[in-house]
Amino acid sequence: MLIRVRRRSEIPRSEVTPEAVYRRRREFMKGGLALGAGLGLGALGLAGPAGADLRDELQPLDAEPGEFSTDESLTPFEDATTYNNFYELGTGKEDPHRLADKLQTDPWSIRVEGLCDNPGEYALEDFIDPWSLEERIYRLRCVEGWSMVIPWIGFELNRIIDRAEPTGSARYVAFESIHDPDNLPGQRRSVLEWPYVEGLRMDEARHPLTIISVGMYDHVLPNQNGAPIRLVVPWKYGFKSIKSIVRIRFVEDEPPTSWNRMQPNEYGFYSNVNPDVDHPRWSQATERRIGEFRRRRTEMFNGYGEEVASMYEGMDLTEKF
């Protein structure tokens, strides 16, 4: 089995972080808000220097072990925070961590709206506060053909959906990222239509593997990884896991998504990891795991088929790519 219940005691602490500092979640919340006047939870996702030193600049974050985790080796923290796609900060892999301080995360709020009975706008700490946090160690597969294994910290998206109480006509969940071209250099270029938007079908959004992440490697999210709050959908290509979320909407019709809007023949709405459906410009049959020399075979649904394949029964996944 590639996915199984994994207890904290089975994961060497050296794989996740060298620190032995763990705080209860409520202490984290209070401590973060008390760091100084005007310094809220969002400001804890700092840029800092690259590599292991970055963790000295990030607030430690404790979480319980989650139900689903892969037993594969973790991607080194330095690689996961210096090799990124975050076009709001630039198109180069080094741009997000080099320009991470351009992302302003304090204050931060999230709007929940659309076809629901309980819409609202929440400060970040209020949005997170009701939920216990857990760690999920997931594979991350980029559409470009590289992959990582990352220990995310967060909670299941279906908790937000339940609180919002979507109406019966809500069939999709749409997401929107920050739009701040004054500070984000990538948004001054027309490489994409801004702001970045994404979407999931309701059953995908409600699936227990789909999480809202506020941390990784036992710390709050670094800016380059989508601080202060992002989506993680492990059986889809990484661009579906939208970063720096400011809006969640419940809608009836399939929402537009940024890469599909930019190149619909290359990036479908579903964007499930599928080794049998090549990108028009490269094969998806294999991938390069960051930190490894040899390429490895790509698994259908990124190895999460046992959990998610039933959602796509009867669909032609070469057409609904």
Side-chain angles (χ1 to χ4, degrees), residues 269-280:
F269 173 81
Y270 288 94
S271 297
N272 293 319
V273 176
N274 189 339
D276 300 322
V277 177
D278 291 335
H279 188 281

Side-chain angles (χ1 to χ4, degrees), residues 16-19 44 46-60 76-79 81-82 97 217 219-220 222 224:
V16 179
T17 171
E19 298 186 41
L44 297 176
L46 305 175
D53 289 344
L54 173 58
R55 279 177 283 194
D56 296 335
E57 305 295 324
L58 295 171
Q59 181 72 31
F77 176 83
E78 181 175 2
D79 290 336
T81 54
T82 60
H97 96 270
Y217 295 87
H219 290 74
V220 296
Q224 58 263 42

Side-chain angles (χ1 to χ4, degrees), residues 61-266:
L61 183 57
D62 195 17
E64 298 298 321
E67 180 180 359
F68 299 103
S69 284
T70 177
D71 54 9
E72 297 169 76
S73 297
L74 298 181
T75 297
F77 176 83
E78 181 175 2
D79 290 336
T81 54
T82 60
Y83 191 88
N84 307 100
N85 286 327
F86 196 0
Y87 279 19
E88 285 84 346
L89 293 170
T91 57
K93 292 292 185 290
E94 73 286 350
D95 288 342
H97 96 270
R98 183 172 61 87
L99 300 172
D101 61 339
K102 302 297 184 183
L103 175 61
Q104 304 299 307
T105 60
D106 180 33
W108 196 275
S109 62
I110 301 98
R111 293 180 62 183
V112 178
E113 59 187 22
L115 302 174
C116 62
D117 293 330
N118 191 24
E121 183 167 2
Y122 303 87
L124 177 64
E125 56 270 21
D126 295 330
F127 189 79
I128 298 170
D129 187 59
W131 322 117
S132 59
L133 301 180
E134 60 181 67
E135 180 183 77
R136 300 281 186 92
I137 303 176
Y138 282 164
R139 290 179 289 275
L140 171 68
R141 172 61 154 83
C142 181
V143 71
E144 297 169 339
W146 53 266
S147 63
M148 296 184 180
V149 177
I150 294 178
W152 302 105
I153 292 174
F155 53 89
E156 293 181 8
L157 175 61
N158 60 37
R159 296 176 182 173
I160 299 300
I161 297 174
D162 287 341
R163 180 171 65 179
E165 299 181 12
T167 66
S169 57
R171 299 172 55 238
Y172 295 88
V173 184
F175 305 87
E176 183 178 313
S177 281
I178 185 176
H179 187 220
D180 185 14
D182 289 341
N183 290 301
L184 301 176
Q187 289 187 333
R188 299 173 205 149
R189 302 174 59 191
S190 58
V191 62
L192 287 172
E193 184 177 339
W194 306 108
Y196 195 94
V197 292
E198 257 303 338
L200 297 173
R201 205 171 62 190
M202 185 63 75
D203 59 341
E204 297 176 319
R206 281 194 172 277
H207 195 281
L209 284 177
T210 304
I211 64 171
I212 292 288
S213 175
V214 296
M216 57 189 286
Y217 295 87
D218 280 357
H219 290 74
V220 296
L221 285 172
N223 284 4
Q224 58 263 42
N225 294 93
I229 188 165
R230 62 172 290 168
L231 185 70
V232 179
V233 192
W235 71 93
K236 295 180 179 289
Y237 291 118
F239 65 85
K240 294 292 288 186
S241 294
I242 185 170
K243 303 177 177 74
S244 301
I245 297 170
V246 298
R247 181 178 299 179
I248 299 174
R249 292 183 297 116
F250 298 95
V251 298
E252 182 173 4
D253 299 322
E254 183 179 290
T257 63
S258 286
W259 281 104
N260 178 252
R261 188 162 56 186
M262 183 72 175
Q263 293 287 352
N265 65 316
E266 296 186 359

